[in-house]
Amino acid sequence: MSTLPNGRFGTLLDRMLGRGPHAVTVPPMDGPLRPNSLLDQAADHVRAVSPDNLTSWRDQLLFSSGPELHALDPSTGALRQMGRMDGDVCAIAAMADGSALAALAGGGLRTVDEEPAAASLLADAERRVIRCPTALLAGTDGRMLVTEGSRDRLPSQWRADLLHGKATGALWMLDRWDAPARPVASGLAWPSGIAWHRDGSIVVSEAWAHRLVRIDGQGRRSVLLGDLPGYPSRIAPAADGGWWLCLFAPRSQLVEFVLREREYREQMMAQIPERYWVAPALASGQDFREPMQGGGIKSMGMLKPWAPTRSYGLVCKLDADFQPQWSAHSRADGRRHGVTSAAELDGRLYVGCQGGDEVVSLDVQAQE
């Protein structure tokens, strides 16, 4: 009777044969994730530089643009600047009392609806600052969840965190917004989205692990949705009890291969500017020095929608059990890429496309 390879020999054999965790295959976009051009066809849009952290707040759409906060009135389309923080805004949460909080790169926490803004610091009981907040989620009881993308890097250094290959992210809970953070889970691969499951557990999107995991009250983890074809980001509630999942970049065989070549990665990061790394991007096709150019992408001088691409636009509708139902895309030949956040408001889905510097909106009922 033959036995399956295991231990160090099995790992070496998997690496030589390119199988198991060492495979460089990428799941296709099919079924509910079948590509379309819904994001590029959306006529309603607002121009904004790198819009992020879209949040429904006081019948308005609140979002960030670097350190700036903006509010969009969906009934009139009027856009106004709410204020400017003392650092880039990395996450926004609407609180049960009608206020809102913004988390800043470096660990700052600021109120949105007060002048001057009340300030606090995201830190644990040992005063270690949570410098890389990626998502906030407020509970009805005043508690708040915070995801920390990486223990070692800032939010802007997400490419370096992916290429270094260490899962140092964490999930924290605050009993009050100005209280010390308590650890809930650690060893997460760039967690960047949070949601409450209907059974009371917590759902977290792990970008570098390409999955959604559920974390129960005892800290046990189970995979709800795995092997996604892109890197998941924020999770937003849908009006029908489901969810909206943003995927900010596509996976590719080239990147998967590079992630398995440590020496090449280290030399690339040391010798080449970051914008030219073989890594995902929020926008692409703007510089001939980018990887994945030339005949591999264009045919007869035309960029095809099915061409390999470093950037993509994708938001997926999930049901109450976090399973995909349908999705809206901006493909390789589109420009509404880098979708990191979305919010549903008054029957419309607002999608922040950082790569295209736009907030677009879709009629939800027309797509279902």
Side-chain angles (χ1 to χ4, degrees), residues 15-160:
R15 182 178 176 84
M16 292 175 60
L17 298 177
R19 68 186 186 187
H22 298 280
V24 295
T25 56
V26 175
M29 292 189 184
D30 204 355
L33 291 173
R34 184 176 180 180
N36 54 56
S37 299
L38 289 177
L39 291 180
D40 286 314
Q41 293 168 357
D44 295 332
H45 66 278
V46 174
R47 298 290 299 177
V49 177
S50 298
D52 194 11
N53 304 302
L54 274 64
T55 306
S56 176
W57 178 65
R58 294 181 179 176
D59 298 323
Q60 300 179 84
L61 181 73
L62 184 65
F63 68 90
S64 66
S65 176
E68 298 178 352
L69 287 173
H70 299 272
L72 175 67
D73 187 335
S75 60
T76 64
L79 182 67
R80 64 189 178 94
Q81 183 171 327
M82 291 285 296
R84 184 181 180 90
M85 298 294 177
D86 52 348
D88 285 345
V89 178
C90 301
I92 298 175
M95 308 296 287
D97 61 3
S99 62
L101 291 174
L104 310 182
L109 196 61
R110 305 287 185 270
T111 57
V112 174
D113 60 332
E114 296 181 17
E115 286 292 342
S120 183
L121 193 65
L122 280 172
D124 62 16
E126 282 72 40
R127 297 185 180 276
R128 187 190 74 84
V129 178
I130 301 171
R131 301 171 59 246
C132 187
T134 52
L136 295 175
L137 179 63
T140 57
D141 56 359
R143 294 183 301 168
M144 188 170 65
L145 293 170
V146 182
T147 51
E148 179 183 23
S150 171
R151 189 182 182 94
D152 307 317
R153 293 175 182 83
L154 294 172
S156 61
Q157 299 171 313
W158 58 272
R159 289 186 189 88

Side-chain angles (χ1 to χ4, degrees), residues 248-266:
F248 64 87
R251 294 170 63 188
S252 73
Q253 288 181 309
L254 178 58
V255 173
E256 294 291 320
F257 176 75
V258 168
L259 290 175
R260 287 154 177 77
E261 298 296 326
R262 180 181 59 82
E263 184 177 349
Y264 175 86
R265 291 199 317 271
E266 291 176 351

Side-chain angles (χ1 to χ4, degrees), residues 106-363:
L109 196 61
R110 305 287 185 270
T111 57
V112 174
D113 60 332
E114 296 181 17
E115 286 292 342
S120 183
L121 193 65
L122 280 172
D124 62 16
E126 282 72 40
R127 297 185 180 276
R128 187 190 74 84
V129 178
I130 301 171
R131 301 171 59 246
C132 187
T134 52
L136 295 175
L137 179 63
T140 57
D141 56 359
R143 294 183 301 168
M144 188 170 65
L145 293 170
V146 182
T147 51
E148 179 183 23
S150 171
R151 189 182 182 94
D152 307 317
R153 293 175 182 83
L154 294 172
S156 61
Q157 299 171 313
W158 58 272
R159 289 186 189 88
D161 192 76
L162 169 64
L163 294 175
H164 276 89
K166 296 180 180 179
T168 62
L171 175 66
W172 302 85
M173 179 174 289
L174 286 72
D175 293 323
R176 302 185 318 276
W177 73 273
D178 55 352
R182 296 185 286 109
V184 177
S186 61
L188 299 174
W190 197 267
S192 50
I194 334 171
W196 294 109
H197 195 278
R198 57 184 175 182
D199 65 4
S201 59
I202 303 167
V203 178
V204 176
S205 63
E206 283 189 277
W208 308 153
H210 333 110
R211 65 185 185 180
L212 301 185
V213 295
R214 177 169 53 188
I215 303 173
D216 65 18
Q218 284 71 47
R220 294 173 299 200
R221 306 177 194 179
S222 59
V223 178
L224 283 178
L225 185 61
D227 205 18
L228 289 164
Y231 302 98
S233 184
R234 309 277 167 51
I235 309 170
D240 64 357
W243 303 92
W244 299 105
L245 174 64
C246 301
L247 293 97
F248 64 87
R251 294 170 63 188
S252 73
Q253 288 181 309
L254 178 58
V255 173
E256 294 291 320
F257 176 75
V258 168
L259 290 175
R260 287 154 177 77
E261 298 296 326
R262 180 181 59 82
E263 184 177 349
Y264 175 86
R265 291 199 317 271
E266 291 176 351
Q267 291 188 30
M268 178 181 68
M269 290 187 286
Q271 300 174 16
I272 299 176
E274 180 177 345
R275 61 185 178 275
Y276 304 132
W277 289 353
V278 180
L282 300 180
S284 60
Q286 301 170 353
D287 193 322
F288 73 92
R289 291 168 291 184
E290 295 176 8
M292 300 173 65
Q293 295 293 314
I297 292 181
K298 292 187 177 182
S299 177
M300 302 296 289
M302 295 181 61
L303 179 64
K304 302 300 182 181
W306 56 83
T309 177
R310 297 173 68 212
S311 64
Y312 200 82
L314 177 55
V315 59
C316 182
K317 175 63 167 58
L318 308 179
D319 62 19
D321 294 316
F322 293 88
Q323 298 305 303
Q325 293 183 305
W326 61 274
S327 55
H329 300 240
S330 175
R331 293 188 279 183
D333 61 341
R335 284 296 177 265
R336 289 171 172 172
H337 293 182
V339 174
T340 53
S341 62
E344 184 176 345
L345 184 62
D346 295 336
R348 298 194 68 83
L349 175 66
Y350 293 86
V351 182
C353 307
Q354 287 204 54
D357 292 330
E358 286 183 301
V359 175
V360 304
S361 67
L362 305 170
D363 186 333

